[in-house]
Amino acid sequence: MADKQNGGSNLTFWGWRRENGRVGVRNHVVILPLDDLSNAACEAVANNIKGTLALPHSYGRLQFGADLDLHFRTLIGIGSNPNVAAVVVIGIEEGWTNKVVEGIAKTGKPVAGFGIELHGDINTIARASYEAKKMLQWASELKREECPISDLWVSTKCGESDTTTGLGSCPTVGNMYDKLIPQGITGVFGETTEITGAEHICKARAATPEIGEKFYRVWKAYQDEVIEPYKTNDLSDSQPTKGNIAGGLTTIEEKALGNLEKIGRTCRYIDVLEPAEAPSKGPGLYYMDTSSAAAECVTLMAAAGFAVHTFPTGQGNVIGNPIVPVIKISANPRTVRTMSEHIDLDVSGILRREQTIDAAGDALIDMIIRTANGRITSAEALGHREFVMTKLYRSA
């Protein structure tokens, strides 16, 4: 709701205020595996207790150093996300399981952990199922409350970009940020390799020269440590992707310039975050060091605490996320026609000069509020629950 059409200063939405003050737009009870060995037990619990959500993944054994730190940060962050009401954590052993439990418990939300060793799957599944049932019934009685727009955290990433992305759907997101960041929301963008060719522009959009240098160090480290040593052609044949090229983006520079349209005309990012790191400098726009791979990037931003994700797409990316609603925006008339079931907001009118970017930004703000109020996104309706952990290097 607002005092005037979407540019109003009294925008509100209805969400669940959690114990730590954060506000969620979904009310999940998550069954979270510490490691790949515990996926089956978590899925069994979710099968027993209808309405809970298991999040199977591939890692969690013999990781070390920064890779292990990121693993824990991601799992604790997912459990701490305000879209999650309560969490059951299951791991092969209790030590690392309890580390995740203790991290999530700092939010004040209900969380319980179970180790499989010395108990076995059947006993663990039974014990965890009883706990999950109690959590689910408790969460089902939680009430939404009306909250100011400043309580909303909105992330963004684009996928399957083409010429229409930089002309239409990415500027739509940028227009939304230009309007909502001044109203106190928290936003984030990322995709480190995808800014290649426009890194000087991104550096200049930092709030201070020091923050700009921090971004540049992150970007340069990826170039020096990953791209250059292993590249085969340009950015190792992966940037731009085959889909990008089919859509008319023949260089990474073209793709990067379109990507940066997502941060609008006036926004300046106030800090640079590590993957899955939660913002700590208050409301504003942040940059996060992430992969450009859709499922990884959205997962990392969810782990940082973002509650709604905006996703411009040209050729038609179908990505979703288990705990964060992903809003698809497209300005490609063909994609809107051939993949309509995946698109939440059609802004192809921009290309036909039937819609201004300003009007498209208002439409996106309206869609964000509708989604926060409970509208099911296309990705949610179609069952897209892509949850992909980021791994930094080989296991021990």
Side-chain angles (χ1 to χ4, degrees), residues 44-55:
V45 172
N47 183 62
N48 286 345
I49 310 303
K50 310 305 181 185
T52 62
L53 179 64
L55 302 181

Side-chain angles (χ1 to χ4, degrees), residues 93-318:
E93 51 81 31
E94 292 182 354
W96 280 12
T97 302
N98 288 336
K99 182 172 181 177
V100 174
V101 169
E102 290 164 6
I104 297 170
K106 292 177 181 178
T107 66
K109 72 179 62 179
V111 56
F114 299 89
I116 297 173
E117 285 182 354
L118 304 181
H119 298 285
D121 265 9
I122 294 174
N123 183 281
T124 301
I125 291 164
R127 291 185 299 138
S129 294
Y130 277 111
E131 190 64 39
K133 175 182 176 290
K134 289 189 291 184
M135 288 180 176
L136 183 69
Q137 290 179 310
W138 168 80
S140 71
E141 293 191 281
L142 297 177
K143 299 289 192 298
R144 290 181 185 258
E145 64 179 67
E146 191 171 14
C147 304
I149 195 69
S150 56
D151 282 330
L152 196 59
W153 288 24
V154 182
S155 54
T156 192
K157 185 232 180 298
C158 51
E160 286 299 293
S161 300
D162 61 15
T163 54
T164 72
T165 313
L167 293 170
S169 53
C170 282
T172 297
V173 173
N175 185 270
M176 174 273 295
Y177 275 144
D178 279 344
K179 291 169 178 172
L180 294 189
I181 291 292
Q183 294 193 36
I185 75 160
T186 300
V188 70
F189 71 110
E191 304 174 77
T192 301
T193 63
E194 201 162 304
I195 295 177
T196 301
E199 67 277 3
H200 58 298
I201 299 173
C202 189
K203 179 181 177 182
R205 289 294 296 277
T208 67
E210 293 75 21
I211 298 300
E213 285 295 335
K214 187 176 181 182
F215 157 76
Y216 189 78
R217 287 194 298 271
V218 165
W219 175 83
K220 189 71 163 55
Y222 204 92
Q223 297 293 315
D224 293 344
E225 298 167 14
V226 180
I227 297 298
E228 288 299 324
Y230 304 108
K231 73 177 183 180
T232 54
N233 178 31
D234 196 15
L235 293 183
S236 301
D237 290 324
S238 66
Q239 284 280 30
T241 67
K242 297 297 187 288
N244 299 149
I245 294 169
L249 299 178
T250 60
T251 68
I252 184 57
E253 290 82 3
E254 291 173 340
K255 187 175 181 181
L257 291 169
N259 182 330
L260 279 182
E261 291 291 325
K262 296 200 300 294
I263 63 173
R265 293 288 179 266
T266 60
C267 291
R268 292 186 174 274
Y269 58 94
I270 61 176
D271 201 6
V272 176
L273 305 173
E274 293 184 14
E277 180 186 0
S280 61
K281 292 188 175 181
L285 183 65
Y286 291 78
Y287 176 84
M288 182 185 289
D289 181 19
T290 74
S291 165
S292 295
E296 283 188 64
C297 183
V298 179
T299 299
L300 291 171
M301 290 174 173
F306 288 85
V308 176
H309 190 90
T310 55
F311 197 106
T313 183
Q315 296 290 91
N317 193 307
V318 300

